[in-house]
Amino acid sequence: MRVQQSGIKRIVHVYLRHAGHVGLHRGCGPEAGLSDGHILVCVQSFLGTDWCRYGNQDSTILAKSVGALFWDQTFPAKVKIGVSGCPRCCGESHTRDIGILGTNPGWTVLFGGNGGRVPRFADIIARNLTTGQVLDCVQRLAE
Protein backbone atom coordinates (compact mmCIF):
# COMPACT_ATOMS: atom_id res chain seq x y z
CA MET A 1 0.00 0.00 0.00
CA ARG A 2 1.18 3.52 -0.81
CA VAL A 3 -0.30 6.61 0.89
CA GLN A 4 -0.33 10.00 -0.79
CA GLN A 5 -2.23 13.26 -0.41
CA SER A 6 -4.20 14.52 -3.38
CA GLY A 7 -4.35 18.13 -4.50
CA ILE A 8 -7.79 18.55 -2.96
CA LYS A 9 -6.68 17.57 0.54
CA ARG A 10 -7.79 13.95 0.41
CA ILE A 11 -5.68 11.02 1.45
CA VAL A 12 -5.38 8.44 -1.30
CA HIS A 13 -4.50 4.82 -0.55
CA VAL A 14 -3.08 3.36 -3.72
CA TYR A 15 -3.04 -0.43 -4.29
CA LEU A 16 -5.30 -1.17 -1.33
CA ARG A 17 -8.08 -3.68 -1.99
CA HIS A 18 -11.70 -2.70 -1.30
CA ALA A 19 -11.87 -4.73 1.93
CA GLY A 20 -8.88 -2.76 3.22
CA HIS A 21 -10.62 0.52 2.42
CA VAL A 22 -13.70 -0.52 4.37
CA GLY A 23 -11.62 -1.48 7.43
CA LEU A 24 -9.60 1.73 7.21
CA HIS A 25 -12.80 3.76 6.88
CA ARG A 26 -14.27 2.18 10.03
CA GLY A 27 -11.07 2.94 11.94
CA CYS A 28 -11.10 6.63 10.92
CA GLY A 29 -14.60 7.26 12.23
CA PRO A 30 -17.70 8.96 10.81
CA GLU A 31 -15.84 12.05 9.55
CA ALA A 32 -13.97 10.04 6.92
CA GLY A 33 -15.53 9.49 3.52
CA LEU A 34 -15.31 6.29 1.50
CA SER A 35 -14.83 6.55 -2.24
CA ASP A 36 -14.88 3.94 -4.94
CA GLY A 37 -12.19 5.88 -6.82
CA HIS A 38 -14.63 7.87 -8.95
CA ILE A 39 -14.83 11.35 -7.44
CA LEU A 40 -16.88 13.46 -9.81
CA VAL A 41 -16.87 16.78 -7.97
CA CYS A 42 -13.57 18.04 -6.55
CA VAL A 43 -13.69 21.18 -4.41
CA GLN A 44 -10.27 22.64 -3.67
CA SER A 45 -9.81 25.52 -1.26
CA PHE A 46 -6.90 27.18 0.42
CA LEU A 47 -6.55 28.64 3.89
CA GLY A 48 -9.39 30.87 5.02
CA THR A 49 -9.29 34.16 6.85
CA ASP A 50 -8.18 32.47 10.08
CA TRP A 51 -4.84 31.38 8.62
CA CYS A 52 -4.06 33.72 5.72
CA ARG A 53 -3.37 37.39 6.32
CA TYR A 54 -4.43 38.20 2.75
CA GLY A 55 -7.79 36.44 3.02
CA ASN A 56 -10.77 38.68 2.26
CA GLN A 57 -13.40 35.95 2.63
CA ASP A 58 -13.53 32.61 4.48
CA SER A 59 -12.84 30.15 1.67
CA THR A 60 -12.83 26.98 3.78
CA ILE A 61 -16.40 27.38 5.04
CA LEU A 62 -17.66 28.22 1.54
CA ALA A 63 -15.81 25.22 0.08
CA LYS A 64 -17.57 22.92 2.56
CA SER A 65 -20.94 24.41 1.62
CA VAL A 66 -20.23 24.03 -2.10
CA GLY A 67 -19.11 20.44 -1.56
CA ALA A 68 -22.34 19.71 0.32
CA LEU A 69 -24.37 20.99 -2.66
CA PHE A 70 -22.98 18.27 -4.92
CA TRP A 71 -22.45 15.44 -2.41
CA ASP A 72 -24.81 12.91 -4.02
CA GLN A 73 -24.86 14.23 -7.59
CA THR A 74 -23.16 12.72 -10.59
CA PHE A 75 -22.03 14.50 -13.73
CA PRO A 76 -20.96 13.29 -17.19
CA ALA A 77 -17.34 14.21 -16.36
CA LYS A 78 -15.28 15.29 -13.38
CA VAL A 79 -16.09 18.82 -12.20
CA LYS A 80 -13.31 20.81 -10.54
CA ILE A 81 -14.19 23.72 -8.29
CA GLY A 82 -11.62 26.08 -6.76
CA VAL A 83 -12.32 28.44 -3.86
CA SER A 84 -9.82 31.17 -2.99
CA GLY A 85 -10.20 33.71 -0.19
CA CYS A 86 -8.27 36.47 -1.98
CA PRO A 87 -7.13 37.53 -5.49
CA ARG A 88 -3.80 35.70 -5.02
CA CYS A 89 -5.83 32.63 -5.94
CA CYS A 90 -4.08 29.88 -3.96
CA GLY A 91 -7.15 27.66 -4.53
CA GLU A 92 -6.44 27.86 -8.28
CA SER A 93 -9.88 29.32 -8.99
CA HIS A 94 -8.88 30.76 -12.38
CA THR A 95 -8.07 27.33 -13.84
CA ARG A 96 -11.04 25.32 -12.56
CA ASP A 97 -14.37 24.52 -14.19
CA ILE A 98 -16.01 26.72 -11.55
CA GLY A 99 -13.94 29.20 -9.58
CA ILE A 100 -14.87 31.31 -6.57
CA LEU A 101 -12.64 34.21 -5.56
CA GLY A 102 -12.93 36.30 -2.38
CA THR A 103 -12.67 40.09 -2.66
CA ASN A 104 -13.34 42.88 -0.16
CA PRO A 105 -16.91 43.65 -1.31
CA GLY A 106 -17.89 39.96 -1.76
CA TRP A 107 -17.30 36.87 -3.88
CA THR A 108 -16.48 36.68 -7.60
CA VAL A 109 -17.65 33.60 -9.54
CA LEU A 110 -15.61 32.33 -12.51
CA PHE A 111 -16.56 29.69 -15.08
CA GLY A 112 -14.79 27.67 -17.78
CA GLY A 113 -11.17 27.51 -16.67
CA ASN A 114 -8.78 24.70 -17.60
CA GLY A 115 -5.40 23.75 -16.19
CA GLY A 116 -4.69 20.92 -18.66
CA ARG A 117 -2.70 20.71 -21.89
CA VAL A 118 -4.37 23.83 -23.24
CA PRO A 119 -4.63 26.13 -20.21
CA ARG A 120 -7.41 28.69 -20.09
CA PHE A 121 -8.35 31.30 -17.52
CA ALA A 122 -12.01 31.20 -16.54
CA ASP A 123 -14.48 33.90 -17.52
CA ILE A 124 -15.94 36.16 -14.82
CA ILE A 125 -19.63 35.40 -14.39
CA ALA A 126 -20.57 37.63 -11.42
CA ARG A 127 -18.90 39.96 -8.91
CA ASN A 128 -19.61 41.15 -5.36
CA LEU A 129 -21.94 38.28 -4.42
CA THR A 130 -22.96 37.19 -0.94
CA THR A 131 -22.36 33.60 0.17
CA GLY A 132 -25.99 32.67 -0.51
CA GLN A 133 -25.84 34.18 -3.98
CA VAL A 134 -22.61 32.27 -4.70
CA LEU A 135 -24.20 28.95 -3.75
CA ASP A 136 -27.20 29.70 -5.99
CA CYS A 137 -24.94 30.74 -8.89
CA VAL A 138 -22.70 27.68 -8.59
CA GLN A 139 -25.70 25.37 -8.52
CA ARG A 140 -27.09 27.00 -11.68
CA LEU A 141 -23.72 26.77 -13.45
CA ALA A 142 -23.51 23.06 -12.68
CA GLU A 143 -26.92 22.36 -14.24
Side-chain angles (χ1 to χ4, degrees), residues 16-75:
L16 183 64
R17 297 190 186 279
H18 183 70
H21 280 287
V22 173
L24 186 62
H25 179 256
R26 284 190 194 123
C28 290
E31 295 275 327
L34 184 61
S35 171
D36 63 356
H38 302 286
I39 301 167
L40 295 179
V41 177
C42 301
V43 181
Q44 177 179 352
S45 71
F46 202 68
L47 305 173
T49 52
D50 292 339
W51 295 97
C52 178
R53 66 181 175 150
Y54 301 113
N56 296 318
Q57 303 287 340
D58 195 346
S59 57
T60 53
I61 289 176
L62 182 61
K64 287 179 184 178
S65 298
V66 170
L69 282 176
F70 304 115
W71 179 252
D72 290 333
Q73 295 184 22
T74 57
F75 294 93

Side-chain angles (χ1 to χ4, degrees), residues 3 16 19 24 48 53 65-69 71 79-80 85 90 104-105 117 119 132 134-136 140 143:
V3 177
L16 183 64
L24 186 62
R53 66 181 175 150
S65 298
V66 170
L69 282 176
W71 179 252
V79 176
K80 293 184 179 180
C90 296
N104 276 330
R117 285 177 83 180
V134 167
L135 294 173
D136 182 50
R140 290 172 187 241
E143 289 176 355

